Amino acid sequence: MQKAIVLASTSRYRREIIERLGLPLHAAAPVCDETPLPGESALDTAVRLARVKAMSLADAYPDALIIGGDQVALLDGRQIGKPGSLENGVAMLQWMSGRTVVFHSALALYNSQSGRLQENVGLTRVTLRTLSEAQIRAYLSREPDALHCAGAAKSEGLGGALLERVESDDPNSLIGVPLFALITMLMNEGVDIL
């Protein structure tokens, strides 16, 4: 019998990507403080948070494969978080306008029965178009959920209009799930994908 597969996320976009595999999937909110640690790199923050999210549900799902994910954007050596407010979103997008941002999309798969942990990070380089403040405000008024995305850049919606170029080994990484790596991890746990 195949283990339950649990996504430690409330993101419908992450869920939709994983559901493409046609596997039964349950989603649950992880227990995690997403604040970066002092001096922590974007890569280390993303990996740590993906791991913590996956492992946070181990008690609730003691015999499952739990998927945790986190994404941290980086520009000029500074982590770009979720803006949370319209004015923060405008400021972030003005700063990112016409520039290339690196998104670190970390993935963790935790087997809560065996304790086995697999991790991966997908890197995506995103170059934004040069945007006016009016364009940024129009985007954020039409895509308010973007205020809960790293850098307010929600590429799976209207945010695609912000982008000039995307470079990645996995097109799913920018949305937050390095799907190619997840398939390998699940297969390592004996899950039949095909």
Side-chain angles (χ1 to χ4, degrees):
M1 183 172 150
Q2 184 168 296
K3 291 186 180 307
I5 300 173
V6 178
L7 173 61
S9 175
T10 57
S11 165
R12 71 179 172 112
Y13 302 104
R14 281 192 175 113
R15 183 178 184 138
E16 286 170 3
I17 290 171
I18 297 169
E19 284 177 337
R20 293 178 196 165
L21 299 177
L23 300 170
L25 181 69
H26 177 73
V31 180
C32 180
D33 176 357
E34 297 191 32
T35 307
L37 299 176
E40 189 174 46
S41 73
L43 174 68
D44 289 344
T45 298
V47 170
R48 178 180 58 81
L49 293 178
R51 179 185 316 124
V52 168
K53 288 175 183 180
M55 296 176 82
S56 76
L57 297 181
D59 288 342
Y61 300 94
D63 188 18
L65 298 175
I66 306 170
I67 303 164
D70 196 76
Q71 186 175 69
V72 178
L74 185 70
L75 179 61
D76 293 340
R78 287 180 34 209
Q79 291 190 31
I80 304 170
K82 300 170 185 174
S85 74
L86 176 63
E87 292 311 312
N88 286 345
V90 170
M92 279 183 181
L93 287 169
Q94 286 177 318
W95 176 46
M96 294 162 47
S97 174
R99 304 186 68 203
T100 299
V101 180
V102 178
F103 287 81
H104 298 76
S105 301
L107 181 68
L109 182 67
Y110 183 62
N111 181 327
S112 58
Q113 182 186 41
S114 70
R116 180 180 183 181
L117 177 70
Q118 299 178 69
E119 297 174 321
N120 180 274
V121 178
L123 297 179
T124 306
R125 294 175 52 84
V126 176
T127 303
L128 279 76
R129 297 178 189 282
T130 300
L131 305 163
S132 69
E133 182 176 343
Q135 288 172 316
I136 291 169
R137 288 186 180 278
Y139 159 68
L140 291 173
S141 71
R142 292 175 57 196
E143 194 76 80
D145 287 350
L147 297 175
H148 306 290
C149 298
K154 186 178 169 197
S155 66
E156 61 274 20
L158 180 61
L162 304 174
L163 311 181
E164 186 172 280
R165 181 180 175 96
V166 176
E167 301 170 70
S168 179
D169 290 338
D170 183 337
N172 304 289
S173 287
L174 185 56
I175 303 171
V177 179
L179 188 63
F180 302 163
L182 177 60
I183 290 167
T184 300
M185 291 175 176
L186 289 169
M187 291 173 69
N188 289 343
E189 289 293 339
V191 176
D192 293 325
I193 304 293
L194 300 174

